[in-house]
Amino acid sequence: KSPFGSSIPPGFSTSASPMLAAGLGLAAIVAGGEAKPVLYGYDVVEYFSLPADSPGVLGSEEFQANLTTTDESSSPRKMTSSEYTFYFANEKNKKLFETDPWKYAPRWGGF
């Protein structure tokens, strides 16, 4: 079963890659005015060591890190800075993320 439930847009599949699904705009979901963690709280670092058919590993609020994105372009029209919260299964994964967040953050959309 997919960790994304029914929030995946029609016509898209998560079977190829949960990270790809996250990048399709599912990062940092806001429901009822309350911000949710990226990838519904699944540990983005753990995905790099799991088999392709794994459903993922849920992170914990206890091990969380924030990633702030800013528009550093020279364009006069800037995108708004955004902050995203990531959950991790353990302190080790949190530290790996903090060392190089862009190695683990979903890449397509949502940032």
Side-chain angles (χ1 to χ4, degrees):
K1 183 181 176 209
S2 169
F4 305 102
S6 61
S7 297
I8 298 171
F12 288 97
S13 169
T14 61
S15 60
S17 166
M19 295 299 284
L20 175 61
L24 293 172
L26 299 178
I29 302 297
V30 177
E34 182 182 333
K36 302 293 181 187
V38 171
L39 203 57
Y40 296 98
Y42 279 76
D43 186 332
V44 295
V45 173
E46 198 69 31
Y47 276 113
F48 285 82
S49 62
L50 296 174
D53 61 346
S54 176
V57 174
L58 269 174
S60 166
E61 227 178 303
E62 179 182 354
F63 307 108
Q64 65 177 285
N66 293 322
L67 175 64
T68 302
T69 60
T70 56
D71 183 349
E72 296 179 0
S73 72
S74 59
S75 173
R77 300 175 98 188
K78 299 278 189 189
M79 292 174 38
T80 305
S81 293
S82 298
E83 186 167 301
Y84 298 91
T85 300
F86 292 81
Y87 285 3
F88 304 95
N90 52 53
E91 184 69 23
K92 177 185 170 193
N93 286 359
K94 177 186 172 198
K95 294 287 185 197
L96 285 169
F97 179 85
E98 289 174 335
T99 299
D100 189 2
W102 292 110
K103 177 177 180 179
Y104 302 103
R107 288 182 173 53
W108 301 283
F111 286 92

